[in-house]
Amino acid sequence: MSNHRLFRLPRPQWMNSWNTRTAGVYSAGALFSLGFFFFIDAATYSHSAKNGSDVHINFVDWVPGICSALGMLVINSIEKTRLSGDSFYSGSSSGVAWKARLVLFLGFALMAGGLAGSVTVLVLKYVVPEYPFTTLYFGIANVIANGLIMLR
């Protein structure tokens, strides 16, 4: 077993397969698009004539999704090779690794903030006023969308 591994458990061989990576890429795209489908479905339903309430999706509901999508873009824009490199004790390094790690942390913070924001919108806007389920669906779809984008 290699000394450069983080955990002692061996990695299964099927995880190194090209087909597994391809399936992972397609499933990540499917989760991302399914997340946005849930939110856009709720947004269009909230402004349709079938919506029987006065509550509609407005900009406050869009902010968590925007944060999650931006966080996902930030995380995917960093090259994996940039994360390993400089040690904290070498004085002659350019500091690319710690900058990449900082940007990666900010991307994860944006995604976590988007998910937390969608739960906050769900509770404060839809659960506390005790709206019926047809209106509560707008907040639930927001949480599902941000969860799927983050899970992506």
Side-chain angles (χ1 to χ4, degrees), residues 35-86:
F36 272 113
F37 169 77
F38 271 108
F39 186 71
I40 292 189
D41 176 54
T44 54
Y45 179 73
S46 79
H47 291 290
S48 72
K50 294 180 181 179
N51 182 11
S53 69
D54 294 332
V55 179
H56 300 289
I57 289 183
N58 52 18
F59 185 71
V60 172
D61 297 297
W62 284 87
V63 170
I66 292 170
C67 287
S68 292
L70 284 176
M72 189 265 323
L73 288 173
V74 166
I75 289 170
N76 286 332
S77 67
I78 296 175
E79 292 182 33
K80 190 176 179 182
T81 58
R82 299 282 187 206
L83 296 173
S84 61
D86 327 328

Side-chain angles (χ1 to χ4, degrees), residues 46-148:
S46 79
H47 291 290
S48 72
K50 294 180 181 179
N51 182 11
S53 69
D54 294 332
V55 179
H56 300 289
I57 289 183
N58 52 18
F59 185 71
V60 172
D61 297 297
W62 284 87
V63 170
I66 292 170
C67 287
S68 292
L70 284 176
M72 189 265 323
L73 288 173
V74 166
I75 289 170
N76 286 332
S77 67
I78 296 175
E79 292 182 33
K80 190 176 179 182
T81 58
R82 299 282 187 206
L83 296 173
S84 61
D86 327 328
S87 68
F88 290 107
Y89 301 109
S90 64
S92 63
S93 65
S94 64
V96 173
W98 76 266
K99 291 174 188 173
R101 291 177 192 141
L102 178 67
V103 170
L104 185 70
F105 173 76
L106 291 176
F108 278 115
L110 274 170
M111 288 180 61
L115 185 63
S118 66
V119 171
T120 303
V121 168
L122 169 68
V123 170
L124 293 179
K125 188 174 178 182
Y126 300 106
V127 173
V128 171
E130 297 179 357
Y131 288 119
F133 182 74
T134 54
T135 307
L136 187 65
Y137 169 70
F138 305 149
I140 292 172
N142 196 354
V143 172
I144 289 172
N146 284 298
L148 288 175

